[in-house]
Amino acid sequence: QVQLVESGGGLVQPGGSLRLSCAASGKIIVLNTMGWYRQVPEKQRELVSTITISGSTSYADSVKGRFTISRDSAKNTVYLQMNSLKPEDTAVYYCNYRDILSRGEGYWGQGTQVTVSS
């Protein structure tokens, strides 16, 4: 019902910046929450940040002060600006969409690799 396409991942040096984008399409409900999660091998997928249609945001403690989530509702697109990147930020980042009709954890993008290394 909802498709998510992510972009912006890549290789960056510690202290560098990267901007992820996620465009949603399909049966979009206006009152929705979008966000970013990340996953490394042998670990459970974890929350990075979420944002509601009203602009309320949440962040994992590990990224507060470094990452900023935003959205352009007219384009059904969410962004994650990542600054002061650390090697421990290395992961596959997944976009997520949820609304009142979503089942379980909602919908997921295909994932985009972020690697922070010298």
Side-chain angles (χ1 to χ4, degrees):
Q1 297 182 27
V2 177
Q3 297 78 45
L4 304 172
V5 179
E6 300 146 323
S7 63
L11 175 64
V12 65
Q13 294 183 337
S17 297
L18 210 57
R19 178 178 163 94
L20 306 182
S21 299
C22 174
S25 62
K27 295 182 179 292
I28 305 298
I29 303 298
V30 174
L31 297 179
N32 65 69
T33 297
M34 298 184 70
W36 294 92
Y37 293 69
R38 65 187 182 187
Q39 188 171 26
V40 298
E42 301 184 348
K43 290 193 65 177
Q44 194 170 20
R45 191 171 299 182
E46 66 178 1
L47 169 71
V48 176
S49 182
T50 63
I51 184 168
T52 69
I53 193 67
S54 65
S56 298
T57 60
S58 67
Y59 295 93
D61 289 340
S62 60
V63 306
K64 286 181 179 178
R66 299 188 297 119
F67 292 9
T68 302
I69 192 170
S70 62
R71 66 186 295 165
D72 184 339
S73 296
K75 299 179 180 179
N76 293 318
T77 300
V78 65
Y79 307 93
L80 185 67
Q81 179 66 47
M82 304 185 292
N83 299 326
S84 302
L85 283 162
K86 305 174 180 179
E88 50 262 45
D89 294 318
T90 296
V92 177
Y93 284 71
Y94 295 90
C95 183
N96 175 260
Y97 168 99
R98 301 177 187 181
D99 61 41
I100 195 170
L101 300 179
S102 299
R103 305 289 179 86
E105 297 298 315
Y107 300 90
W108 297 96
Q110 79 285 355
T112 184
Q113 177 70 47
V114 172
T115 302
V116 185
S117 179
S118 299

PDB file of all heavy atoms in Angstrom, residues 43-77:
ATOM      1  N   LYS A  43      22.510  -7.584  15.338  1.00  0.00           N
ATOM      2  CA  LYS A  43      21.828  -6.721  16.290  1.00  0.00           C
ATOM      3  C   LYS A  43      20.421  -6.410  15.785  1.00  0.00           C
ATOM      4  O   LYS A  43      20.151  -6.423  14.589  1.00  0.00           O
ATOM      5  CB  LYS A  43      22.587  -5.417  16.517  1.00  0.00           C
ATOM      6  CG  LYS A  43      23.885  -5.560  17.280  1.00  0.00           C
ATOM      7  CD  LYS A  43      24.401  -4.209  17.739  1.00  0.00           C
ATOM      8  CE  LYS A  43      23.461  -3.570  18.758  1.00  0.00           C
ATOM      9  NZ  LYS A  43      23.990  -2.262  19.265  1.00  0.00           N
ATOM     10  N   GLN A  44      19.530  -6.132  16.728  1.00  0.00           N
ATOM     11  CA  GLN A  44      18.156  -5.810  16.390  1.00  0.00           C
ATOM     12  C   GLN A  44      18.067  -4.410  15.790  1.00  0.00           C
ATOM     13  O   GLN A  44      18.840  -3.517  16.157  1.00  0.00           O
ATOM     14  CB  GLN A  44      17.285  -5.912  17.639  1.00  0.00           C
ATOM     15  CG  GLN A  44      15.800  -5.925  17.372  1.00  0.00           C
ATOM     16  CD  GLN A  44      14.998  -6.264  18.619  1.00  0.00           C
ATOM     17  OE1 GLN A  44      15.479  -6.139  19.734  1.00  0.00           O
ATOM     18  NE2 GLN A  44      13.766  -6.701  18.421  1.00  0.00           N
ATOM     19  N   ARG A  45      17.137  -4.233  14.881  1.00  0.00           N
ATOM     20  CA  ARG A  45      16.918  -2.912  14.305  1.00  0.00           C
ATOM     21  C   ARG A  45      16.516  -1.939  15.409  1.00  0.00           C
ATOM     22  O   ARG A  45      15.643  -2.244  16.225  1.00  0.00           O
ATOM     23  CB  ARG A  45      15.838  -2.996  13.229  1.00  0.00           C
ATOM     24  CG  ARG A  45      15.713  -1.752  12.372  1.00  0.00           C
ATOM     25  CD  ARG A  45      14.771  -1.993  11.189  1.00  0.00           C
ATOM     26  NE  ARG A  45      15.253  -3.043  10.313  1.00  0.00           N
ATOM     27  CZ  ARG A  45      14.651  -3.417   9.197  1.00  0.00           C
ATOM     28  NH1 ARG A  45      13.539  -2.818   8.800  1.00  0.00           N
ATOM     29  NH2 ARG A  45      15.159  -4.401   8.470  1.00  0.00           N
ATOM     30  N   GLU A  46      17.136  -0.766  15.424  1.00  0.00           N
ATOM     31  CA  GLU A  46      16.899   0.189  16.489  1.00  0.00           C
ATOM     32  C   GLU A  46      16.442   1.538  15.951  1.00  0.00           C
ATOM     33  O   GLU A  46      16.799   1.960  14.851  1.00  0.00           O
ATOM     34  CB  GLU A  46      18.159   0.377  17.344  1.00  0.00           C
ATOM     35  CG  GLU A  46      19.320   1.012  16.608  1.00  0.00           C
ATOM     36  CD  GLU A  46      20.528   1.228  17.498  1.00  0.00           C
ATOM     37  OE1 GLU A  46      20.469   0.875  18.686  1.00  0.00           O
ATOM     38  OE2 GLU A  46      21.545   1.754  16.998  1.00  0.00           O
ATOM     39  N   LEU A  47      15.656   2.221  16.771  1.00  0.00           N
ATOM     40  CA  LEU A  47      15.146   3.540  16.417  1.00  0.00           C
ATOM     41  C   LEU A  47      16.262   4.565  16.367  1.00  0.00           C
ATOM     42  O   LEU A  47      17.113   4.616  17.254  1.00  0.00           O
ATOM     43  CB  LEU A  47      14.097   3.973  17.440  1.00  0.00           C
ATOM     44  CG  LEU A  47      13.646   5.435  17.368  1.00  0.00           C
ATOM     45  CD1 LEU A  47      12.789   5.661  16.130  1.00  0.00           C
ATOM     46  CD2 LEU A  47      12.880   5.824  18.628  1.00  0.00           C
ATOM     47  N   VAL A  48      16.246   5.398  15.335  1.00  0.00           N
ATOM     48  CA  VAL A  48      17.131   6.545  15.249  1.00  0.00           C
ATOM     49  C   VAL A  48      16.349   7.819  15.526  1.00  0.00           C
ATOM     50  O   VAL A  48      16.698   8.617  16.401  1.00  0.00           O
ATOM     51  CB  VAL A  48      17.824   6.636  13.879  1.00  0.00           C
ATOM     52  CG1 VAL A  48      18.673   7.901  13.785  1.00  0.00           C
ATOM     53  CG2 VAL A  48      18.675   5.400  13.632  1.00  0.00           C
ATOM     54  N   SER A  49      15.259   8.021  14.773  1.00  0.00           N
ATOM     55  CA  SER A  49      14.464   9.232  14.919  1.00  0.00           C
ATOM     56  C   SER A  49      13.119   9.063  14.241  1.00  0.00           C
ATOM     57  O   SER A  49      13.004   8.332  13.255  1.00  0.00           O
ATOM     58  CB  SER A  49      15.212  10.431  14.310  1.00  0.00           C
ATOM     59  OG  SER A  49      14.485  11.630  14.475  1.00  0.00           O
ATOM     60  N   THR A  50      12.097   9.757  14.757  1.00  0.00           N
ATOM     61  CA  THR A  50      10.776   9.776  14.134  1.00  0.00           C
ATOM     62  C   THR A  50      10.242  11.196  14.105  1.00  0.00           C
ATOM     63  O   THR A  50      10.670  12.053  14.879  1.00  0.00           O
ATOM     64  CB  THR A  50       9.761   8.893  14.882  1.00  0.00           C
ATOM     65  OG1 THR A  50       9.558   9.401  16.202  1.00  0.00           O
ATOM     66  CG2 THR A  50      10.241   7.450  14.956  1.00  0.00           C
ATOM     67  N   ILE A  51       9.293  11.422  13.210  1.00  0.00           N
ATOM     68  CA  ILE A  51       8.648  12.726  13.112  1.00  0.00           C
ATOM     69  C   ILE A  51       7.198  12.536  12.691  1.00  0.00           C
ATOM     70  O   ILE A  51       6.891  11.773  11.778  1.00  0.00           O
ATOM     71  CB  ILE A  51       9.404  13.659  12.133  1.00  0.00           C
ATOM     72  CG1 ILE A  51       8.771  15.053  12.112  1.00  0.00           C
ATOM     73  CG2 ILE A  51       9.455  13.057  10.732  1.00  0.00           C
ATOM     74  CD1 ILE A  51       9.631  16.093  11.403  1.00  0.00           C
ATOM     75  N   THR A  52       6.276  13.227  13.362  1.00  0.00           N
ATOM     76  CA  THR A  52       4.863  13.151  13.048  1.00  0.00           C
ATOM     77  C   THR A  52       4.485  14.226  12.040  1.00  0.00           C
ATOM     78  O   THR A  52       5.284  15.100  11.695  1.00  0.00           O
ATOM     79  CB  THR A  52       4.006  13.325  14.308  1.00  0.00           C
ATOM     80  OG1 THR A  52       4.112  14.685  14.768  1.00  0.00           O
ATOM     81  CG2 THR A  52       4.452  12.380  15.413  1.00  0.00           C
ATOM     82  N   ILE A  53       3.235  14.178  11.573  1.00  0.00           N
ATOM     83  CA  ILE A  53       2.765  15.172  10.618  1.00  0.00           C
ATOM     84  C   ILE A  53       2.748  16.557  11.247  1.00  0.00           C
ATOM     85  O   ILE A  53       2.884  17.563  10.546  1.00  0.00           O
ATOM     86  CB  ILE A  53       1.366  14.794  10.084  1.00  0.00           C
ATOM     87  CG1 ILE A  53       1.012  15.651   8.866  1.00  0.00           C
ATOM     88  CG2 ILE A  53       0.304  14.950  11.172  1.00  0.00           C
ATOM     89  CD1 ILE A  53       1.891  15.367   7.672  1.00  0.00           C
ATOM     90  N   SER A  54       2.591  16.631  12.568  1.00  0.00           N
ATOM     91  CA  SER A  54       2.578  17.911  13.258  1.00  0.00           C
ATOM     92  C   SER A  54       3.975  18.443  13.557  1.00  0.00           C
ATOM     93  O   SER A  54       4.118  19.566  14.030  1.00  0.00           O
ATOM     94  CB  SER A  54       1.786  17.805  14.558  1.00  0.00           C
ATOM     95  OG  SER A  54       2.418  16.928  15.471  1.00  0.00           O
ATOM     96  N   GLY A  55       4.996  17.626  13.306  1.00  0.00           N
ATOM     97  CA  GLY A  55       6.363  18.056  13.520  1.00  0.00           C
ATOM     98  C   GLY A  55       6.988  17.604  14.820  1.00  0.00           C
ATOM     99  O   GLY A  55       8.135  17.979  15.108  1.00  0.00           O
ATOM    100  N   SER A  56       6.273  16.825  15.622  1.00  0.00           N
ATOM    101  CA  SER A  56       6.851  16.297  16.851  1.00  0.00           C
ATOM    102  C   SER A  56       7.928  15.277  16.517  1.00  0.00           C
ATOM    103  O   SER A  56       7.718  14.395  15.681  1.00  0.00           O
ATOM    104  CB  SER A  56       5.774  15.653  17.723  1.00  0.00           C
ATOM    105  OG  SER A  56       4.809  16.607  18.121  1.00  0.00           O
ATOM    106  N   THR A  57       9.071  15.384  17.174  1.00  0.00           N
ATOM    107  CA  THR A  57      10.206  14.523  16.860  1.00  0.00           C
ATOM    108  C   THR A  57      10.669  13.735  18.065  1.00  0.00           C
ATOM    109  O   THR A  57      10.422  14.115  19.211  1.00  0.00           O
ATOM    110  CB  THR A  57      11.389  15.346  16.328  1.00  0.00           C
ATOM    111  OG1 THR A  57      11.788  16.306  17.323  1.00  0.00           O
ATOM    112  CG2 THR A  57      11.008  16.081  15.058  1.00  0.00           C
ATOM    113  N   SER A  58      11.347  12.643  17.794  1.00  0.00           N
ATOM    114  CA  SER A  58      12.002  11.857  18.820  1.00  0.00           C
ATOM    115  C   SER A  58      13.351  11.412  18.286  1.00  0.00           C
ATOM    116  O   SER A  58      13.518  11.228  17.074  1.00  0.00           O
ATOM    117  CB  SER A  58      11.156  10.643  19.223  1.00  0.00           C
ATOM    118  OG  SER A  58      11.059   9.714  18.159  1.00  0.00           O
ATOM    119  N   TYR A  59      14.321  11.234  19.202  1.00  0.00           N
ATOM    120  CA  TYR A  59      15.666  10.830  18.821  1.00  0.00           C
ATOM    121  C   TYR A  59      16.210   9.818  19.807  1.00  0.00           C
ATOM    122  O   TYR A  59      15.944   9.885  21.002  1.00  0.00           O
ATOM    123  CB  TYR A  59      16.621  12.027  18.796  1.00  0.00           C
ATOM    124  CG  TYR A  59      16.312  13.069  17.756  1.00  0.00           C
ATOM    125  CD1 TYR A  59      15.513  14.166  18.066  1.00  0.00           C
ATOM    126  CD2 TYR A  59      16.825  12.973  16.474  1.00  0.00           C
ATOM    127  CE1 TYR A  59      15.233  15.129  17.114  1.00  0.00           C
ATOM    128  CE2 TYR A  59      16.550  13.928  15.519  1.00  0.00           C
ATOM    129  CZ  TYR A  59      15.754  15.012  15.844  1.00  0.00           C
ATOM    130  OH  TYR A  59      15.477  15.973  14.897  1.00  0.00           O
ATOM    131  N   ALA A  60      16.991   8.894  19.291  1.00  0.00           N
ATOM    132  CA  ALA A  60      17.757   8.034  20.169  1.00  0.00           C
ATOM    133  C   ALA A  60      18.803   8.874  20.896  1.00  0.00           C
ATOM    134  O   ALA A  60      19.336   9.837  20.340  1.00  0.00           O
ATOM    135  CB  ALA A  60      18.441   6.926  19.367  1.00  0.00           C
ATOM    136  N   ASP A  61      19.092   8.508  22.136  1.00  0.00           N
ATOM    137  CA  ASP A  61      20.065   9.269  22.913  1.00  0.00           C
ATOM    138  C   ASP A  61      21.422   9.356  22.212  1.00  0.00           C
ATOM    139  O   ASP A  61      22.125  10.365  22.316  1.00  0.00           O
ATOM    140  CB  ASP A  61      20.247   8.642  24.293  1.00  0.00           C
ATOM    141  CG  ASP A  61      19.046   8.848  25.192  1.00  0.00           C
ATOM    142  OD1 ASP A  61      18.238   9.763  24.921  1.00  0.00           O
ATOM    143  OD2 ASP A  61      18.922   8.104  26.180  1.00  0.00           O
ATOM    144  N   SER A  62      21.778   8.323  21.482  1.00  0.00           N
ATOM    145  CA  SER A  62      23.080   8.265  20.847  1.00  0.00           C
ATOM    146  C   SER A  62      23.253   9.261  19.707  1.00  0.00           C
ATOM    147  O   SER A  62      24.384   9.527  19.293  1.00  0.00           O
ATOM    148  CB  SER A  62      23.352   6.847  20.333  1.00  0.00           C
ATOM    149  OG  SER A  62      22.368   6.453  19.394  1.00  0.00           O
ATOM    150  N   VAL A  63      22.164   9.814  19.187  1.00  0.00           N
ATOM    151  CA  VAL A  63      22.259  10.728  18.052  1.00  0.00           C
ATOM    152  C   VAL A  63      21.782  12.133  18.373  1.00  0.00           C
ATOM    153  O   VAL A  63      21.893  13.025  17.523  1.00  0.00           O
ATOM    154  CB  VAL A  63      21.488  10.197  16.827  1.00  0.00           C
ATOM    155  CG1 VAL A  63      21.940   8.785  16.484  1.00  0.00           C
ATOM    156  CG2 VAL A  63      19.982  10.237  17.066  1.00  0.00           C
ATOM    157  N   LYS A  64      21.269  12.361  19.564  1.00  0.00           N
ATOM    158  CA  LYS A  64      20.787  13.687  19.939  1.00  0.00           C
ATOM    159  C   LYS A  64      21.908  14.715  19.832  1.00  0.00           C
ATOM    160  O   LYS A  64      23.025  14.485  20.278  1.00  0.00           O
ATOM    161  CB  LYS A  64      20.230  13.670  21.366  1.00  0.00           C
ATOM    162  CG  LYS A  64      18.893  12.981  21.504  1.00  0.00           C
ATOM    163  CD  LYS A  64      18.386  13.023  22.939  1.00  0.00           C
ATOM    164  CE  LYS A  64      17.032  12.352  23.067  1.00  0.00           C
ATOM    165  NZ  LYS A  64      16.550  12.334  24.471  1.00  0.00           N
ATOM    166  N   GLY A  65      21.580  15.840  19.231  1.00  0.00           N
ATOM    167  CA  GLY A  65      22.554  16.898  19.052  1.00  0.00           C
ATOM    168  C   GLY A  65      23.387  16.765  17.799  1.00  0.00           C
ATOM    169  O   GLY A  65      24.093  17.706  17.424  1.00  0.00           O
ATOM    170  N   ARG A  66      23.317  15.611  17.140  1.00  0.00           N
ATOM    171  CA  ARG A  66      24.095  15.383  15.920  1.00  0.00           C
ATOM    172  C   ARG A  66      23.210  15.175  14.700  1.00  0.00           C
ATOM    173  O   ARG A  66      23.562  15.608  13.605  1.00  0.00           O
ATOM    174  CB  ARG A  66      25.007  14.174  16.084  1.00  0.00           C
ATOM    175  CG  ARG A  66      26.023  14.317  17.214  1.00  0.00           C
ATOM    176  CD  ARG A  66      27.030  13.172  17.197  1.00  0.00           C
ATOM    177  NE  ARG A  66      26.388  11.877  17.427  1.00  0.00           N
ATOM    178  CZ  ARG A  66      26.408  10.871  16.554  1.00  0.00           C
ATOM    179  NH1 ARG A  66      27.033  11.012  15.394  1.00  0.00           N
ATOM    180  NH2 ARG A  66      25.813   9.724  16.860  1.00  0.00           N
ATOM    181  N   PHE A  67      22.075  14.505  14.884  1.00  0.00           N
ATOM    182  CA  PHE A  67      21.161  14.215  13.782  1.00  0.00           C
ATOM    183  C   PHE A  67      19.929  15.100  13.886  1.00  0.00           C
ATOM    184  O   PHE A  67      19.475  15.435  14.987  1.00  0.00           O
ATOM    185  CB  PHE A  67      20.708  12.760  13.808  1.00  0.00           C
ATOM    186  CG  PHE A  67      21.779  11.745  13.502  1.00  0.00           C
ATOM    187  CD1 PHE A  67      23.113  12.107  13.396  1.00  0.00           C
ATOM    188  CD2 PHE A  67      21.427  10.420  13.322  1.00  0.00           C
ATOM    189  CE1 PHE A  67      24.093  11.166  13.119  1.00  0.00           C
ATOM    190  CE2 PHE A  67      22.397   9.465  13.040  1.00  0.00           C
ATOM    191  CZ  PHE A  67      23.726   9.840  12.941  1.00  0.00           C
ATOM    192  N   THR A  68      19.367  15.451  12.744  1.00  0.00           N
ATOM    193  CA  THR A  68      18.136  16.220  12.687  1.00  0.00           C
ATOM    194  C   THR A  68      17.194  15.608  11.664  1.00  0.00           C
ATOM    195  O   THR A  68      17.572  15.423  10.508  1.00  0.00           O
ATOM    196  CB  THR A  68      18.394  17.689  12.321  1.00  0.00           C
ATOM    197  OG1 THR A  68      19.287  18.283  13.269  1.00  0.00           O
ATOM    198  CG2 THR A  68      17.087  18.473  12.319  1.00  0.00           C
ATOM    199  N   ILE A  69      15.976  15.301  12.091  1.00  0.00           N
ATOM    200  CA  ILE A  69      14.972  14.770  11.185  1.00  0.00           C
ATOM    201  C   ILE A  69      14.030  15.888  10.764  1.00  0.00           C
ATOM    202  O   ILE A  69      13.719  16.785  11.547  1.00  0.00           O
ATOM    203  CB  ILE A  69      14.190  13.602  11.830  1.00  0.00           C
ATOM    204  CG1 ILE A  69      13.349  12.867  10.781  1.00  0.00           C
ATOM    205  CG2 ILE A  69      13.331  14.084  12.985  1.00  0.00           C
ATOM    206  CD1 ILE A  69      12.747  11.566  11.295  1.00  0.00           C
ATOM    207  N   SER A  70      13.579  15.841   9.525  1.00  0.00           N
ATOM    208  CA  SER A  70      12.642  16.829   9.017  1.00  0.00           C
ATOM    209  C   SER A  70      11.793  16.176   7.939  1.00  0.00           C
ATOM    210  O   SER A  70      12.089  15.068   7.494  1.00  0.00           O
ATOM    211  CB  SER A  70      13.377  18.059   8.468  1.00  0.00           C
ATOM    212  OG  SER A  70      14.214  17.706   7.383  1.00  0.00           O
ATOM    213  N   ARG A  71      10.735  16.862   7.531  1.00  0.00           N
ATOM    214  CA  ARG A  71       9.895  16.310   6.479  1.00  0.00           C
ATOM    215  C   ARG A  71       9.273  17.404   5.641  1.00  0.00           C
ATOM    216  O   ARG A  71       9.069  18.526   6.106  1.00  0.00           O
ATOM    217  CB  ARG A  71       8.805  15.403   7.068  1.00  0.00           C
ATOM    218  CG  ARG A  71       7.776  16.110   7.928  1.00  0.00           C
ATOM    219  CD  ARG A  71       6.824  15.097   8.571  1.00  0.00           C
ATOM    220  NE  ARG A  71       6.023  14.386   7.583  1.00  0.00           N
ATOM    221  CZ  ARG A  71       5.330  13.276   7.833  1.00  0.00           C
ATOM    222  NH1 ARG A  71       5.343  12.734   9.052  1.00  0.00           N
ATOM    223  NH2 ARG A  71       4.623  12.696   6.869  1.00  0.00           N
ATOM    224  N   ASP A  72       8.970  17.050   4.418  1.00  0.00           N
ATOM    225  CA  ASP A  72       8.235  17.894   3.502  1.00  0.00           C
ATOM    226  C   ASP A  72       6.962  17.130   3.180  1.00  0.00           C
ATOM    227  O   ASP A  72       6.962  16.241   2.324  1.00  0.00           O
ATOM    228  CB  ASP A  72       9.046  18.174   2.239  1.00  0.00           C
ATOM    229  CG  ASP A  72       8.350  19.132   1.291  1.00  0.00           C
ATOM    230  OD1 ASP A  72       7.116  19.282   1.373  1.00  0.00           O
ATOM    231  OD2 ASP A  72       9.039  19.738   0.454  1.00  0.00           O
ATOM    232  N   SER A  73       5.883  17.464   3.873  1.00  0.00           N
ATOM    233  CA  SER A  73       4.642  16.707   3.744  1.00  0.00           C
ATOM    234  C   SER A  73       4.041  16.801   2.343  1.00  0.00           C
ATOM    235  O   SER A  73       3.396  15.859   1.881  1.00  0.00           O
ATOM    236  CB  SER A  73       3.630  17.181   4.790  1.00  0.00           C
ATOM    237  OG  SER A  73       4.091  16.906   6.095  1.00  0.00           O
ATOM    238  N   ALA A  74       4.247  17.931   1.671  1.00  0.00           N
ATOM    239  CA  ALA A  74       3.734  18.086   0.316  1.00  0.00           C
ATOM    240  C   ALA A  74       4.364  17.081  -0.636  1.00  0.00           C
ATOM    241  O   ALA A  74       3.751  16.674  -1.621  1.00  0.00           O
ATOM    242  CB  ALA A  74       3.968  19.508  -0.182  1.00  0.00           C
ATOM    243  N   LYS A  75       5.600  16.682  -0.347  1.00  0.00           N
ATOM    244  CA  LYS A  75       6.311  15.713  -1.173  1.00  0.00           C
ATOM    245  C   LYS A  75       6.320  14.315  -0.556  1.00  0.00           C
ATOM    246  O   LYS A  75       6.894  13.402  -1.139  1.00  0.00           O
ATOM    247  CB  LYS A  75       7.755  16.168  -1.396  1.00  0.00           C
ATOM    248  CG  LYS A  75       7.894  17.496  -2.121  1.00  0.00           C
ATOM    249  CD  LYS A  75       9.359  17.875  -2.274  1.00  0.00           C
ATOM    250  CE  LYS A  75       9.515  19.197  -2.995  1.00  0.00           C
ATOM    251  NZ  LYS A  75      10.945  19.583  -3.128  1.00  0.00           N
ATOM    252  N   ASN A  76       5.696  14.160   0.616  1.00  0.00           N
ATOM    253  CA  ASN A  76       5.713  12.885   1.337  1.00  0.00           C
ATOM    254  C   ASN A  76       7.138  12.363   1.492  1.00  0.00           C
ATOM    255  O   ASN A  76       7.407  11.181   1.282  1.00  0.00           O
ATOM    256  CB  ASN A  76       4.830  11.853   0.635  1.00  0.00           C
ATOM    257  CG  ASN A  76       3.363  12.219   0.679  1.00  0.00           C
ATOM    258  OD1 ASN A  76       2.859  12.672   1.703  1.00  0.00           O
ATOM    259  ND2 ASN A  76       2.669  12.012  -0.435  1.00  0.00           N
ATOM    260  N   THR A  77       8.026  13.252   1.868  1.00  0.00           N
ATOM    261  CA  THR A  77       9.438  12.928   1.970  1.00  0.00           C
ATOM    262  C   THR A  77       9.974  13.286   3.350  1.00  0.00           C
ATOM    263  O   THR A  77       9.646  14.349   3.888  1.00  0.00           O
ATOM    264  CB  THR A  77      10.251  13.662   0.896  1.00  0.00           C
ATOM    265  OG1 THR A  77       9.785  13.275  -0.403  1.00  0.00           O
ATOM    266  CG2 THR A  77      11.726  13.334   1.005  1.00  0.00           C
TER     267      THR A  77
END
